[in-house]
Amino acid sequence: QVQLVESGGGSVQPGGSLRLSCAASRNIFRIYGTDWYRQAPGNQRELVAAITRAGSTNYADSVKGRFTISRDAVKNTVFLQMNSLKPEDTAVYYCKVTTNIATYWGQGTQVTVSS
């Protein structure tokens, strides 16, 4: 089994920055890609960023140019650097890893962007 734990969320003013972390219980990020999702109240969970096993990255149009997904395989951690944050970014952020056996989700970390 794989355990994923997100951290780094918090409250920030518009234009501010946060870095989210997704830590895995075992070394999996050399083998599998990772997705970051977010879910705001009243909205569906949406994919915001993804990194493949090979290191290729993709972003939702709403965050492109502001968010950066990266990986530190030594630390078994995937990051989501969020800059120029907007109130619309307020949501619970989740990381997800899909293996050949199962899909694993973290517990989520709250990001609140407000004045």
Side-chain angles (χ1 to χ4, degrees):
Q1 63 181 33
V2 176
Q3 295 177 0
L4 303 174
V5 179
E6 300 98 333
S7 62
S11 182
V12 66
Q13 294 182 347
S17 298
L18 287 171
R19 189 180 74 163
L20 307 184
S21 299
C22 174
S25 60
R26 60 173 65 182
N27 189 354
I28 61 171
F29 297 132
R30 294 184 185 273
I31 305 172
Y32 303 105
T34 304
D35 300 333
W36 280 99
Y37 284 77
R38 68 185 181 189
Q39 187 167 24
N43 293 98
Q44 296 183 10
R45 189 169 297 185
E46 62 175 340
L47 177 67
V48 297
I51 185 167
T52 70
R53 178 178 62 179
S56 298
T57 59
N58 291 282
Y59 302 93
D61 288 341
S62 59
V63 307
K64 191 172 297 182
R66 300 187 298 118
F67 290 11
T68 303
I69 187 170
S70 62
R71 176 177 59 206
D72 186 337
V74 174
K75 297 181 178 180
N76 300 327
T77 303
V78 172
F79 303 97
L80 184 66
Q81 178 67 46
M82 306 186 297
N83 299 325
S84 301
L85 283 163
K86 305 174 180 179
E88 309 93 90
D89 297 319
T90 296
V92 178
Y93 285 72
Y94 303 87
C95 61
K96 184 189 79 172
V97 175
T98 300
T99 72
N100 59 326
I101 301 299
T103 296
Y104 300 93
W105 292 88
Q107 85 288 350
T109 185
Q110 176 70 50
V111 171
T112 301
V113 185
S114 63
S115 299

